[in-house]
Amino acid sequence: MAKHGADEPSSRSGSPDREDRVSEDRSLLHQRLAVQELINTEVSYVHMLHLCASDIRSRLQQLPQGDLDVLFSNIDDIIKVNSRFLHDLQETASKKEEQVQLVGNLFLEFQEELEQVYKIYCVSYDQALLLVEMYRKEPELQQHIQDIIKAVVPQAGSSGLSFLLVIPLQRITRYPLLLQKILENTLPDASAYPVLQRAVSALQDVNTNINEYKMRKEVASKYTKVEQLTLRERLARINTHTLSKKTTRLSQLLKQEAGLIPRTEDKEFDDLEERFQWVSLCVTELKNNVAAYLDHLQAFLCFRPHEYNLDIPEGPAVHYCNLARDLQLEAFLKFKQRLEGLVCQPLCSLAKALLGPQNLIKKRLNKLPDFERVEEKLLEVGSMTYEEQAARHTYQALNSLLVAELPQFNQLAMQWLGQILCTFVTLQRDLAKQVLQRAEGSMAQLPHHQVPEPAFRKLVEDTLGRTSNQLHSFQETFKKVRPPPTTQPLLPGSERQVQALLSRYGPGKLYQVTSNISGTGTLDLTLPRGQIVALLQDKDTKGNRSRWLVDTGGHRGYVPAGKLQLYHVVPSTEELQRQAGLNEDPRCLTPEAVRAPVPSIPTANQVIAAYPFVARSSHEVSLQAGQPVTVLEAQDKKGNPEWSLVEVNGRRGYVPSGFLARAPSPVLWGWNLPS
């Protein structure tokens, strides 16, 4: 009995120790089960991702590629990250004593990678759900998708795509819960405890950052859209709320300008915005310069000297024409196509990509007064309304998004711009190389290809000087051919109309149209250049003297006064002869009045156009000053010598005889290089 009594206290003292050991064993068991659950669920999760990416996506080829990109987003990147994570997670099983601590360190190691890949997937998840809803409105397509998913993943049930798309979101939100379960079954004094605490906090931060990123993207997508609104649509959006908001912002800005309240300064954002504006300016300038370069290139390609007949049967001119034809049809044309595809299109895409950030920066600037006002009220009162909280939240989202992504965007835009410039330089170098290669054969056939460069320069300068003097002499001779006519030529067949207007209104009322007139009003007339009209009134009914009332001999209406000039009537041959007969006196013989001779143009003769002429009907043909013209008949069908039938560039028609001139005597000029 004494012995039994002595053992009893020892039994009581050992009971708590056994309970502690049992509790520790139970916690350790639950901890191992939690770790095993983490590994097993990760295996199932990665297997499901592979099914989605390989089997299901490959069988949904009936859907457009754009839809597949939205539905599965960056699932390939998620598979890469989680496959490596699973491999490292399974390796921790070989180290039982350190496994929990290794698991915590593993989550800390993969924290940034998990956040980067899952935030992209979460942002595109809402768009994927919109596509799923759209597919449900098409029964045949929906049934086809359901059959594919049931064949691969039977447990998906009727949810189909929705069941698969939500799996990555559920997994990233479940990591903190699994870690928390492991932490709860870990002793506080264990070495793995602080590591698990940091891992739980890190995964919670990952989910918080993903939610904030998604929210910022939603705000950005709302304000990134560039709307092209008319003035009427903008006015229709104005209401009392917008007026109140604009007034409050203006009041806030005026207070800052007056120095009554401080201005919010953000040095980090200001530096980023300045760099972005600099990049935007560079892109705009380069785009304008490339557009001007393309215009000049197009104008250069329109000049084709090899298509003109130089009347030089052989020699350097022939070699030059062959080289010019080869470059025009191949080298320059190919260069233009490459320039448009490799420089212009990427540059336009870059300029278009700048519109989104520009609009976000503008919206941030508009929201800044609202944010400052709310912050001021928050300091004074300590509370704010729901609308003020939303405005504050919107500004913070815009500012955070711009500060986070503008550096990357600026860097990518600079790289993009640099690649475009390098491509442009490479195209120029390739063009120069092609031209030199093609010109080598032609250069060897030139008479002076062996002349030293200084001597060749002197030779070219002397030749250009002589050619310039010859051209100046030709220009002076050309100016002396015939003075420009003071009036426009009459339209063919309009002599009777002129005579009728002359007999009715007199010569002082006749005017000639100097350029084509297109009537826009009810009482306005449409008249061709050269039409003769009679002035009825030098103002309209409202007293406007820039519109005159005229008579064409058949119609009356208003025409612009600035397009009329007084017509000087030239007396006909019969009138001159009649006037000469009346002035004849048997006692005093005076010289007979002779009509000013109309220049005689030999038939089937080669002449040149002294002045430009624009055809006004299908019976006429247009001329350019200096253009060679072949005269077929020196008069019209009625025998009027004021009009000549000519042929220009294969087209026949009438032109005023006064617009033609004999070609000056041929002068040897041009590229006559001494041999």
Side-chain angles (χ1 to χ4, degrees):
M1 293 292 294
K3 187 176 181 180
H4 177 76
D7 292 341
E8 188 175 359
S10 175
S11 175
R12 290 198 192 101
S13 61
S15 178
D17 294 337
R18 283 199 305 272
E19 291 179 0
D20 292 340
R21 284 197 298 271
V22 170
S23 177
E24 291 177 6
D25 294 341
R26 187 183 300 112
S27 298
L28 183 60
L29 176 62
H30 289 168
Q31 182 190 76
R32 291 177 180 176
L33 291 176
V35 172
Q36 192 62 38
E37 180 185 2
L38 171 63
I39 297 175
N40 293 338
T41 54
E42 188 70 18
V43 171
S44 301
Y45 171 64
V46 173
H47 175 67
M48 186 65 68
L49 291 179
H50 280 289
L51 290 179
C52 292
S54 57
D55 296 353
I56 296 178
R57 184 169 57 180
S58 61
R59 298 185 186 185
L60 290 177
Q61 295 303 317
Q62 181 180 354
L63 300 178
Q65 184 60 41
D67 290 8
L68 294 176
D69 293 340
V70 173
L71 289 172
F72 296 96
S73 187
N74 64 329
I75 194 171
D76 295 326
D77 297 333
I78 295 177
I79 291 175
K80 292 179 182 179
V81 173
N82 279 88
S83 296
R84 289 192 294 109
F85 178 72
L86 175 60
H87 176 267
D88 295 346
L89 199 61
Q90 289 174 334
E91 285 188 347
T92 61
S94 60
K95 302 177 182 179
K96 294 293 185 180
E97 296 180 356
E98 301 176 0
Q99 184 179 15
V100 177
Q101 186 171 352
L102 292 175
V103 169
N105 289 329
L106 193 60
F107 272 100
L108 293 175
E109 180 183 347
F110 278 83
Q111 175 185 357
E112 293 185 2
E113 290 188 72
L114 291 173
E115 180 178 336
Q116 290 298 325
V117 295
Y118 278 93
K119 70 180 183 181
I120 297 175
Y121 185 88
C122 292
V123 167
S124 62
Y125 176 70
D126 291 339
Q127 297 180 353
L129 289 183
L130 292 177
L131 287 177
V132 172
E133 291 297 326
M134 185 177 67
Y135 298 153
R136 288 175 179 172
K137 297 178 182 179
E138 302 181 19
E140 295 183 1
L141 178 60
Q142 175 67 10
Q143 186 61 40
H144 176 68
I145 295 174
Q146 286 291 109
D147 294 342
I148 292 175
I149 295 176
K150 281 185 178 180
V152 179
V153 187
Q155 63 268 31
S158 60
S159 300
L161 271 178
S162 302
F163 172 81
L164 299 177
L165 297 178
V166 79
I167 290 177
L169 274 68
Q170 293 175 339
R171 188 60 183 173
I172 192 63
T173 55
R174 193 178 179 188
Y175 282 140
L177 302 178
L178 294 172
L179 283 173
Q180 184 66 34
K181 188 174 181 180
I182 298 174
L183 179 64
E184 291 175 354
N185 293 281
T186 303
L187 297 177
D189 57 349
S191 59
Y193 193 85
V195 177
L196 289 174
Q197 281 184 320
R198 293 199 305 271
V200 172
S201 178
L203 267 295
Q204 290 175 346
D205 292 341
V206 166
N207 282 274
T208 302
N209 294 338
I210 291 175
N211 289 332
E212 291 181 356
Y213 181 81
K214 185 173 182 294
M215 177 190 61
R216 291 198 300 265
K217 282 295 185 179
E218 290 174 352
V219 174
S221 63
K222 175 183 177 183
Y223 292 110
T224 302
K225 299 176 182 178
V226 181
E227 296 181 323
Q228 301 294 336
L229 300 178
T230 62
L231 179 60
R232 178 176 296 180
E233 291 173 342
R234 292 180 182 275
L235 293 176
R237 291 190 173 188
I238 296 178
N239 51 38
T240 55
H241 175 71
T242 56
L243 290 175
S244 175
K245 185 167 59 175
K246 300 293 184 184
T247 304
T248 305
R249 291 177 181 174
L250 180 60
S251 174
Q252 190 77 8
L253 292 175
L254 292 176
K255 289 179 181 179
Q256 291 179 353
E257 293 294 332
L260 300 178
I261 57 176
R263 188 189 302 269
T264 302
E265 294 184 1
D266 191 341
K267 184 68 168 57
E268 182 182 6
F269 175 80
D270 292 341
D271 293 341
L272 291 174
E273 182 191 7
E274 182 180 1
R275 184 170 181 81
F276 172 79
Q277 297 298 346
W278 180 80
V279 173
S280 178
L281 179 62
C282 290
V283 172
T284 303
E285 289 295 329
L286 181 60
K287 182 181 177 182
N288 294 336
N289 291 336
V290 171
Y293 183 88
L294 271 177
D295 293 339
H296 296 160
L297 180 62
Q298 182 64 35
F300 173 75
L301 293 178
C302 291
F303 178 68
R304 298 182 175 89
H306 53 274
E307 295 182 358
Y308 293 94
N309 185 12
L310 301 179
D311 293 332
I312 305 177
E314 58 185 9
V318 176
H319 300 315
Y320 169 75
C321 288
N322 294 334
L323 177 61
R325 183 182 300 106
D326 187 21
L327 294 177
Q328 283 274 358
L329 298 179
E330 294 187 20
F332 290 134
L333 193 60
K334 184 178 180 181
F335 170 74
K336 180 187 175 185
Q337 294 174 352
R338 296 181 67 192
L339 185 66
E340 291 176 346
L342 300 178
V343 175
C344 291
Q345 292 181 3
L347 196 57
C348 292
S349 300
L350 178 57
K352 188 176 181 180
L354 293 173
L355 296 178
Q358 285 175 346
N359 205 30
L360 285 180
I361 292 174
K362 179 181 177 182
K363 290 297 181 182
R364 176 197 175 275
L365 184 62
N366 293 338
K367 300 293 182 181
L368 180 57
D370 299 341
F371 173 76
E372 293 173 337
R373 181 178 55 83
V374 173
E375 289 293 313
E376 182 181 354
K377 179 181 177 182
L378 196 59
L379 291 175
E380 294 177 356
V381 182
S383 62
M384 53 184 171
T385 63
Y386 177 79
E387 183 179 354
E388 292 172 340
Q389 184 178 5
R392 180 171 180 263
H393 182 71
T394 300
Y395 170 80
Q396 290 176 336
L398 288 173
N399 189 72
S400 301
L401 181 66
L402 289 171
V403 171
E405 298 193 359
L406 263 187
Q408 301 176 9
F409 184 88
N410 289 338
Q411 183 179 2
L412 292 175
M414 287 298 298
Q415 293 177 358
W416 198 345
L417 190 61
Q419 291 175 357
I420 292 174
L421 287 173
C422 291
T423 303
F424 182 73
V425 173
T426 303
L427 292 179
Q428 293 279 359
R429 185 172 60 245
D430 293 346
L431 176 65
K433 185 177 179 180
Q434 291 180 20
V435 172
L436 289 176
Q437 290 177 350
R438 295 172 186 269
E440 283 181 355
S442 300
M443 290 171 60
Q445 300 176 18
L446 293 177
H448 305 284
H449 69 280
Q450 295 181 347
V451 177
E453 184 176 350
F456 183 75
R457 286 180 178 272
K458 183 68 170 57
L459 179 64
V460 172
E461 290 176 359
D462 295 342
T463 305
L464 289 176
R466 290 196 305 270
T467 306
S468 177
N469 294 333
Q470 294 172 358
L471 186 61
H472 180 72
S473 175
F474 176 79
Q475 184 179 7
E476 294 297 327
T477 305
F478 186 79
K479 290 181 179 179
K480 297 177 182 179
V481 172
R482 182 182 299 275
T486 57
T487 59
Q488 298 288 335
L490 290 176
L491 298 175
S494 62
E495 288 82 359
R496 291 185 180 180
Q497 178 189 6
V498 174
Q499 291 298 328
L501 293 175
L502 183 63
S503 62
R504 184 173 182 181
Y505 298 102
K509 293 288 187 179
L510 297 190
Y511 285 81
Q512 190 174 28
V513 179
T514 59
S515 61
N516 294 334
I517 299 175
S518 297
T520 57
T522 306
L523 299 179
D524 293 343
L525 296 177
T526 298
L527 302 177
R529 188 180 67 169
Q531 175 81 35
I532 304 299
V533 296
L535 177 63
L536 299 179
Q537 192 173 5
D538 60 352
K539 58 183 178 180
D540 59 9
T541 55
K542 297 182 179 180
N544 184 10
R545 294 190 177 275
S546 63
R547 296 174 72 242
W548 287 1
L549 180 64
V550 299
D551 183 9
T552 63
H555 301 280
R556 293 186 178 186
Y558 291 97
V559 295
K563 294 188 177 183
L564 299 177
Q565 69 175 10
L566 189 64
Y567 178 68
H568 300 283
V569 182
V570 179
S572 62
T573 306
E574 293 79 4
E575 291 177 352
L576 291 174
Q577 293 176 354
R578 186 171 61 255
Q579 291 176 4
L582 293 176
N583 293 333
E584 250 182 23
D585 193 342
R587 295 169 296 177
C588 180
L589 296 176
T590 58
E592 183 178 8
V594 181
R595 179 184 175 188
V598 176
S600 175
I601 305 297
T603 306
N605 190 18
Q606 189 74 20
V607 297
I608 62 172
Y611 311 102
F613 175 72
V614 180
R616 297 161 296 188
S617 66
S618 59
H619 302 289
E620 299 175 1
V621 65
S622 299
L623 298 177
Q624 295 181 0
Q627 189 175 20
V629 180
T630 302
V631 179
L632 303 178
E633 295 182 7
Q635 58 188 8
D636 61 8
K637 294 181 180 180
K638 296 182 180 180
N640 183 10
E642 293 183 356
W643 291 84
S644 298
L645 179 63
V646 300
E647 181 176 356
V648 182
N649 293 335
R651 297 184 60 188
R652 294 188 177 187
Y654 287 97
V655 298
S657 300
F659 280 52
L660 304 177
R662 294 180 181 275
S665 58
V667 180
L668 294 177
W669 67 285
W671 290 86
N672 297 322
L673 297 176
S675 59

